[in-house]
Amino acid sequence: MYDLYTVMKSVNIELSDVQINQLNIFYEMLVDTNKVMNLTAITDYGEVAVKHFADSAAIHNVYDMSKVKSIIDVGTGAGFPGIVLKIIYPDTEILLLDSLQKRINFLDSVAERLALRGIKTVHGRAEDIAHDKLHREKYDLCVSRAVAALSSLSEYCIPFVKIGGAFVSYKAAACEQEVYDAGNAIKLLGGKIKEVAECTLEPEKLVRKFVIIDKIRQTPTKYPRKAGTPSKEPLK
């Protein structure tokens, strides 16, 4: 079994005893709830430590998190990376957005059990919530590990980001074509690709890519388009 402290240190995160305890409780709740609700296909402790916890935290290696005061996690699912980032950066305000109420209920129970403060959840679709003035262009950083093409994901996510902030998309190792295909969409939405950074997760030797997109202009008000459209008809 991998040691959580060592696994997280491999991505340059040093955990306190409190944080280790919080992640362990999160793991127990994840596995327990997963018996009655599909949250993750990964349940082995060591694999969760590497593929969920360290993976979520690896943004620390490619983006300056010290300047981030607010984060929105779009399509957070079981709370990755949002819950992990909240545990690591307890003073950062975090919003978890997901379209399934059952997952939101789970995340609320995790936040309560771990006594997390400055974390909120919203049930809804990004296409709708991004037009809400409470959330539109309000966040320093938008993150997403959601499985969607980058052109569609950019339409979901970039509208939430303040000018001067960034959208960081967690992607698989082979994402070059996807990034290329999303170039014009990102520009239309007010973004600019800064870089595609890479981090290797030890000891599994898993390669994670991070597409870092700076928000340089206001997103036109027509974006995101109505629910379902970004995935069916990605911007070109």
Side-chain angles (χ1 to χ4, degrees), residues 16-71:
S16 67
D17 289 344
V18 170
Q19 290 169 319
I20 289 173
N21 187 51
Q22 286 177 315
L23 285 172
N24 281 332
I25 292 171
F26 181 24
Y27 169 76
E28 290 166 7
M29 294 182 73
L30 177 73
V31 172
D32 193 47
T33 306
N34 201 60
K35 294 171 184 173
V36 294
M37 179 170 63
N38 183 28
L39 290 171
T40 177
I42 301 166
T43 56
D44 174 78
Y45 181 83
E47 284 197 88
V48 170
V50 175
K51 296 178 182 177
H52 283 327
F53 294 166
D55 185 48
S56 293
I59 189 173
H60 172 84
N61 291 328
V62 301
Y63 192 77
D64 182 5
M65 297 297 289
S66 66
K67 64 184 180 181
V68 176
K69 300 286 192 295
S70 59
I71 299 173

Side-chain angles (χ1 to χ4, degrees), residues 161-173:
V161 182
K162 297 175 181 176
I163 294 173
F167 162 44
V168 177
S169 176
Y170 289 60
K171 283 293 175 185

